[in-house]
């Protein structure tokens, strides 16, 4: 089911419009926001628009929750806090999420985005998501 939910997420018009890609290896999911000129918010630097970076972080959080455990439907954000740490330059952005806690209804997720060097993040997300874990007796 996780493949179906990941496909549903990636096929959503907003997500596909941003061009988000996932690389899933083992239990890790890395998201990539490929650079495009229309994502630039400040042409003087140039830097990516904060809204595009924030949306990308939320998409990676959602994808990581789908991969972390079997779910019946896409997670829904309850609250999200994003820290913009430095300008995201005109280059690809990568992100990984860590599911800090996943209960029966709510999951706590942290996401870190970087360019070039993972040790120098450009933005972080901390959020709570409403989840619907798959029941043991529900069909696959």
């Amino acid at each position: 089911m996780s493949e179906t939910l990941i496909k549903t997420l990636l096929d959503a018009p907003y997500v596909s419009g941003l061009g988000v890609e996932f690389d899933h290896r083992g239990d890790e999911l890395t998201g990539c926001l490929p650079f495009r000129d229309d994502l630039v918010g400040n042409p003087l630097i140039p830097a990516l628009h904060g809204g595009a970076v924030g949306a990308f972080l939320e998409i990676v959080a959602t994808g990581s929750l789908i991969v972390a455990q079997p779910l019946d439907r896409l997670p829904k954000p309850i609250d999200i806090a994003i820290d913009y740490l430095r300008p995201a330059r005109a280059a690809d952005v990568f992100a990984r999420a860590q599911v800090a806690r996943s209960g029966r209804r709510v999951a706590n997720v942290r996401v870190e985005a970087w360019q070039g060097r993972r040790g120098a993040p450009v933005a972080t997300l901390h959020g709570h998501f409403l989840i619907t874990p798959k029941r043991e007796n529900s069909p696959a």
Side-chain angles (χ1 to χ4, degrees):
M1 176 57 112
S2 69
E3 294 85 20
T4 304
L5 283 178
I6 287 288
K7 182 169 175 17
T8 301
L9 175 65
L10 290 174
D11 287 346
Y14 188 71
V15 177
S16 63
L18 283 174
V20 174
E21 302 168 353
F22 286 135
D23 181 22
H24 182 201
R25 296 179 191 217
D27 64 348
E28 281 193 340
L29 184 76
T30 303
C32 177
L33 176 63
F35 172 74
R36 294 192 331 246
D37 285 331
D38 62 333
L39 297 178
V40 172
N42 183 345
L44 299 177
I45 296 177
L48 297 180
H49 192 283
V53 173
F56 170 59
L57 290 170
E58 182 180 332
I59 292 164
V60 171
T62 302
S64 294
L65 285 169
I66 293 168
V67 169
Q69 70 185 51
L71 300 175
D72 273 337
R73 60 182 56 96
L74 288 173
K76 295 180 182 180
I78 297 170
D79 70 354
I80 288 177
I82 298 174
D83 292 323
Y84 296 97
L85 306 173
R86 60 180 43 98
R89 302 292 177 160
D92 294 352
V93 181
F94 301 93
R96 278 201 189 140
Q98 177 184 10
V99 178
R101 182 179 189 289
S102 186
R104 287 184 291 153
R105 301 200 60 200
V106 177
N108 180 301
V109 183
R110 292 184 179 97
V111 184
E112 198 169 76
W114 71 91
Q115 294 178 304
R117 208 167 51 89
R118 190 169 180 190
V122 295
T124 60
L125 173 145
H126 179 249
H128 296 91
F129 289 78
L130 181 64
I131 58 170
T132 309
K134 184 171 281 306
R135 296 182 191 172
E136 291 181 26
N137 59 357
S138 65

